[in-house]
């Protein structure tokens, strides 16, 4: 039997180069060997109370970008999370077996709650976890953390368990949520003495994980960091972003170690350029003859060689609304077939049956 692979992305903005190299390009390669399920997590996006019109537009654009990057609706199940009403019902049922304390202890909840309330962090000396927790559950009506943010791990677990996924590609920041999913699956199975849910594991694509750096000189590429190259950036915008990327004063001695910002540019170069181009600029850095302007110009053109075909396909796909509607309708039908069966089994096990 094929592994059931599931992955979703929140509909909070366009996809970027990090999404492409970190996930999408890999997903395209496994469509023939795995039972692949890719969805747009618009329910998860509601935790930040987005503008309704923007939320709808984001779902449409991410769907088009999925397809333009190579996800094939004939090989994979591609769907919108909210098109599967069984997810919402199972979210309610699974929450009955999830503790408030274990949700509040998750690193992502504490981090997002602090940001939502404008609080500091223990690492910055702004109070310990207990003090911050008291503020999170405080009674100040003008400052609140919504319950959806707290139960985000339950919804993520439902996304996975309702499809009985066995492999879930996740980044380092989501590993704790995947472990919670395994815990919830074990707990439910043990409580009712059943074997309903498999315990999913991270999908190992082989080799070192790809970390795509941003253009700000540190960290990884991310929408919230504002350091992205988007797959739909037009050439003028993309070139301007790359030319503004952070560097340093340049090497003063032969074979000097690279600063993080410069190493980041070389990482992007290795992802998008040919080996001879990478070798040329590495040699230029080693002998102190490198000109960062030339490096950036080359990098911009090589990135455009990757993104331009995707951007053009996105434009064509967005113009064909009947095709988009057909893709999500077909995806919803396939996803609901498995989801409805899982929910029926879960309801029966929990004693929710017709009289």
């Amino acid at each position: 039997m094929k592994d059931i692979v599931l992955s979703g992305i929140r509909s909070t903005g366009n996809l970027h180069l990090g999404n492409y190299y970190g996930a999408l390009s890999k997903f395209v390669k496994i469509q023939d060997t795995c039972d692949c399920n890719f969805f747009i997590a618009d329910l998860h996006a509601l935790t930040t109370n987005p503008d309704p019109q923007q939320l709808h537009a984001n779902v449409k654009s991410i769907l088009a970008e999925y397809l333009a990057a190579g996800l094939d609706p004939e090989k994979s199940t591609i769907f919108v999370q909210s098109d599967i009403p069984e997810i919402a019902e199972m979210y309610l049922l699974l929450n009955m077996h999830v503790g408030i304390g274990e949700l509040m202890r998750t690193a992502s909840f504490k981090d997002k709650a602090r940001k939502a309330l404008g609080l500091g962090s223990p690492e910055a000396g702004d109070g310990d976890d207990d003090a911050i927790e008291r503020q999170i559950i405080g009674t100040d009506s003008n400052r609140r953390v919504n319950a959806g943010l707290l139960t985000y791990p339950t919804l993520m677990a439902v996304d996975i368990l309702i499809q009985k996924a066995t492999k879930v590609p996740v980044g380092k920041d989501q590993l704790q949520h995947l472990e919670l999913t395994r815990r919830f699956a074990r707990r439910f199975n043990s409580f009712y003495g059943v074997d309903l849910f498999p315990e999913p594991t991270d999908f190992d694509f082989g080799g070192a994980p790809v970390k795509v750096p941003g253009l700000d000189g540190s960290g990884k590429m991310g929408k919230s960091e504002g350091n992205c190259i988007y797959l739909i950036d037009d050439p003028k915008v993309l070139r301007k972003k790359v030319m503004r990327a952070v560097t340093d004063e340049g090497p003063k001695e032969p074979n000097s170690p690279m600063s993080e910002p410069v190493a980041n540019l070389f990482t992007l170069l290795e992802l998008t350029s040919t080996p001879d181009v990478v070798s040329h600029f590495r040699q230029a850095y080693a002998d102190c003859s490198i000109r960062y302007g030339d490096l950036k110009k080359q990098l911009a053109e090589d990135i455009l060689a990757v993104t331009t075909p995707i951007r053009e396909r996105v434009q064509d796909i967005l113009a064909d609304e009947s095709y988009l509607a057909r893709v999500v309708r077909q995806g919803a039908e396939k996803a609901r077939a498995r989801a409805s069966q899982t929910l029926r089994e879960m309801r029966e096990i929990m004693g929710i049956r017709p009289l």
Side-chain angles (χ1 to χ4, degrees):
M1 293 180 64
K2 292 182 178 180
D3 276 317
I4 301 173
V5 179
L6 181 127
S7 180
I9 189 166
R10 293 173 67 217
S11 51
T12 55
N14 297 108
L15 303 182
H16 53 70
L17 211 61
N19 298 131
Y20 179 74
Y21 282 107
L24 275 174
S25 62
K26 297 177 180 179
F27 295 164
V28 171
K29 295 178 181 178
I30 64 171
Q31 292 182 109
D32 291 317
T33 56
C34 299
D35 179 346
C36 292
N37 302 263
F38 304 117
F39 69 98
I40 301 164
D42 55 340
L43 297 180
H44 282 293
L46 294 176
T47 60
T48 57
N49 303 121
D51 174 78
Q53 295 300 320
Q54 190 60 54
L55 175 65
H56 179 74
N58 285 345
V59 170
K60 187 176 179 181
S61 64
I62 290 177
L63 174 62
E65 289 165 22
Y66 263 177
L67 298 169
L71 297 189
D72 186 344
E74 300 305 318
K75 297 179 179 180
S76 299
T77 301
I78 303 170
F79 62 98
V80 179
Q81 186 184 28
S82 61
D83 284 344
I84 317 301
E86 291 83 1
I87 289 175
E89 182 175 348
M90 183 170 161
Y91 175 45
L92 170 74
L93 297 179
L94 190 61
N95 263 325
M96 304 307 170
H97 291 276
V98 175
I100 293 175
E102 61 190 340
L103 293 176
M104 292 193 68
R105 287 191 296 272
T106 60
S108 62
F109 170 71
K110 289 189 287 187
D111 180 58
K112 291 176 181 178
R114 283 195 294 261
K115 290 179 180 177
L117 297 174
L119 303 175
S121 67
E123 294 78 11
D126 298 317
D128 58 26
D129 271 337
D130 289 341
I132 291 172
E133 184 174 305
R134 286 194 294 273
Q135 294 183 70
I136 289 173
I137 62 176
T139 58
D140 187 340
S141 60
N142 294 320
R143 302 170 69 204
R144 62 181 175 83
V145 176
N146 69 57
L149 191 62
L150 177 65
T151 58
Y152 185 105
T154 309
L155 183 55
M156 178 175 166
V158 169
D159 293 326
I160 297 166
L161 298 178
I162 203 166
Q163 297 296 332
K164 296 189 177 178
T166 54
K167 297 290 184 182
V168 183
V170 293
K172 185 178 180 181
D173 58 339
Q174 293 290 320
L175 282 173
Q176 187 180 25
H177 287 170
L178 184 58
E179 179 53 43
L180 282 173
T181 298
R182 288 195 287 267
R183 183 191 301 173
F184 299 160
R186 285 194 301 271
R187 181 180 298 158
F188 187 92
N189 289 344
S190 175
F191 186 88
Y192 292 104
V194 296
D195 190 26
L196 178 62
F197 298 125
E199 294 185 32
T201 59
D202 187 15
F203 194 106
D204 183 3
F205 290 101
V210 177
K211 180 182 179 181
V212 181
L215 299 174
D216 57 351
S218 64
K220 69 175 184 178
M221 190 171 288
K223 285 176 276 192
S224 60
E225 286 76 19
N227 61 5
C228 294
I229 295 171
Y230 292 104
L231 298 181
I232 63 166
D233 279 341
D234 67 49
K236 184 178 180 180
V237 169
L238 191 149
R239 290 189 182 103
K240 185 179 292 187
K241 285 182 175 181
V242 175
M243 294 307 293
R244 290 178 177 174
V246 176
T247 53
D248 57 23
E249 295 180 351
K252 303 300 183 184
E253 298 179 358
N255 300 310
S256 299
M258 290 183 187
S259 64
E260 185 177 5
V262 174
N264 286 348
L265 289 183
F266 273 93
T267 297
L268 291 171
L269 200 70
E270 289 171 346
L271 286 171
T272 59
S273 305
T274 59
D276 60 313
V277 168
V278 177
S279 178
H280 166 75
F281 283 105
R282 284 199 175 279
Q283 181 58 43
Y285 185 89
D287 64 22
C288 302
S289 65
I290 193 166
R291 294 161 58 96
Y292 288 145
D294 293 341
L295 169 63
K296 291 178 179 180
K297 288 177 183 177
Q298 180 69 51
L299 177 59
E301 296 311 309
D302 290 340
I303 292 174
L304 280 170
V306 175
T307 62
T308 296
I310 296 175
R311 176 171 53 82
E312 291 174 348
R313 286 197 294 271
V314 167
Q315 292 169 348
D316 291 340
I317 291 169
L318 285 173
D320 191 347
E321 295 198 359
S322 63
Y323 172 64
L324 285 172
R326 187 164 66 253
V327 168
V328 294
R329 184 171 61 250
Q330 175 182 306
E333 289 174 357
K334 291 166 67 177
R336 288 196 69 185
R338 185 180 280 147
S340 60
Q341 176 62 30
T342 302
L343 181 60
R344 280 196 299 272
E345 293 171 338
M346 187 177 186
R347 287 170 59 95
E348 176 72 20
I349 289 166
M350 294 180 71
I352 305 173
R353 307 162 188 161
L355 296 176

